[in-house]
């Protein structure tokens, strides 16, 4: 390698003297640039601040305007709220009044429903009571059936579940009465009533009048048929004539025959009764027939047969069977005695108990 020749190096003071102005210029340029930059930045910042301030003022103005509008809207809202509150107060008052009226209407409806149910129960109770009376006192099954059917119709109109047990019992009673065999107690009772009214007019046996014997018809004579002149002559003749004597004797014989009469009696002689005893007899016979009528209506077959037998026995023993009225009455009693009122009619006790339970429950 070749040796290189280095240039001579300046000394330190000289080098420092040479580089000083150059660095000053550099510092000055940097400072000016920095000042320019700072000025530009200050200007730009000021411009931006002005823009921001203007925008802020604009937004503040807009905010004031919005706040004014908001205050206006708030005032309007308050006014509307006050109006709404007034309306709400009015509506609340009307609502309270409506609720009061509704409560009154509901109370009236409940009272009306209760009164309607009570009235319906009273009608049903009346129909059932009529049926019971017809069965116990009159023995009139058709009338009792009609009353129970009316009660069933009234129950069907109610159409409430709490009346269902009572309606079932009424329906059962209707079916029971439909299947009952028995005589027409109403017509039999009417016949007994007619006979009871006839008792005072029936003649007693010892009061029977014996009818006069029929007079024998006189055979026409030839002289009477010959001419009227001879008949007139005989009529004007004295009693000593044979024809007048025979006529007189014939009349006397007829009167004598009427004094004695022989009859055949198929039964013992009727008992002789004093007038007071005759009145007691008629009254006892009437009471027997009344007792038979009551037994008929109460379905007491044994008592009815005993009363009818005793009444028939008294009629045949003490009354004149020859009289048409007595004979007809005896036939009627014999025909009525064939009735057998031994069927026991229902008392409807279960139905009455269910009805009482319903009425007591409705009053609570």
């Amino acid at each position: 390698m070749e040796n290189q020749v280095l240039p001579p190096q300046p000394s330190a003071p000289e080098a420092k003297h040479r580089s000083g102005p150059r660095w000053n210029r550099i510092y000055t340029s940097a400072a000016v640039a920095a000042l320019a930059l700072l000025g530009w930045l200050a200007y730009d910042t000021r411009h931006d601040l002005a823009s921001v301030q203007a925008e802020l003022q604009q937004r503040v103005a807009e905010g004031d305007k919005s706040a004014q509008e908001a205050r206006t809207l708030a005032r309007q809202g308050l006014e509307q709220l006050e109006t709404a509150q007034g309306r709400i107060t009015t509506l609340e008052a009307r609502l309270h009044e409506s609720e009061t009226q509704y409560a009154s209407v509901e109370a009236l409806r409940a009272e009306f429903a209760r009164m309607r149910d009570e009235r319906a129960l009273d009608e049903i109770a009346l129909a059932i009571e009529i049926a019971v009376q017809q069965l116990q006192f009159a023995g009139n099954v058709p009338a009792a059936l009609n009353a129970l059917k009316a009660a069933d119709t009234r129950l069907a109109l109610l159409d409430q579940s709490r009346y269902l047990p009572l309606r079932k019992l009424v329906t059962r009673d209707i079916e029971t009465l439909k299947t009952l065999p028995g005589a027409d107690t109403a017509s039999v009772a009417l016949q007994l009533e007619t006979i009871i009214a006839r008792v005072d007019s029936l003649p007693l046996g010892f009061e029977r009048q014996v009818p006069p014997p029929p007079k024998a018809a006189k055979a026409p004579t030839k002289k009477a048929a010959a001419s009227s002149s001879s008949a007139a002559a005989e009529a004007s003749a004295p009693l000593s004539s044979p024809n007048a004597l025979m006529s007189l004797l014939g009349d006397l014989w007829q009167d004598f025959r009427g004094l004695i009469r022989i009859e055949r009696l198929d039964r013992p002689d009727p008992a002789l009764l004093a007038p007071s005893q005759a009145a007691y007899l008629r009254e006892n016979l009437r009471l027997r027939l009344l007792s038979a009528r009551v037994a008929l209506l109460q379905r007491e077959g044994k008592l009815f047969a005993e009363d009818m037998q005793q009444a028939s026995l008294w009629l045949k023993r003490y009354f004149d069977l020859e009289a048409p009225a007595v004979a007809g009455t005896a036939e009627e009693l014999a025909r009525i005695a064939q009735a057998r009122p031994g069927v026991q009619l229902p008392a409807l006790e279960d139905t009455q108990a269910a009805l009482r339970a319903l009425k007591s429950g409705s009053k609570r």
Side-chain angles (χ1 to χ4, degrees), residues 259-292:
L259 295 176
I260 301 174
R261 182 176 180 182
I262 301 174
E263 291 185 356
R264 179 180 176 181
L265 298 177
D266 296 332
R267 63 187 181 93
D269 293 338
L272 297 177
L273 298 175
S276 59
Q277 293 179 345
Y280 287 136
L281 173 63
R282 294 181 188 275
E283 190 64 28
N284 288 333
L285 179 59
R286 187 182 294 107
L287 291 176
R288 277 290 182 178
L289 293 175
L290 284 173
S291 177

Side-chain angles (χ1 to χ4, degrees), residues 164-174 348 350-355:
L164 186 59
L166 178 60
R167 190 179 181 189
K168 288 181 179 180
L169 292 174
V170 171
T171 305
R172 186 193 67 182
D173 294 334
I174 291 174
L348 308 182
D350 295 339
T351 305
Q352 289 180 310
L355 180 62

Side-chain angles (χ1 to χ4, degrees), residues 15-16 28 39 45 128 131 137 154 157 175 200 202 224 226 228 241 250 279 288 292 300 338 342 345 351:
K16 182 177 179 181
T28 301
T45 302
I128 294 175
F137 300 107
R154 196 69 182 87
L157 292 177
E175 295 300 326
D200 290 334
L202 297 178
S228 59
S241 62
R288 277 290 182 178
E300 296 289 343
Q338 301 300 321
L345 296 178
T351 305

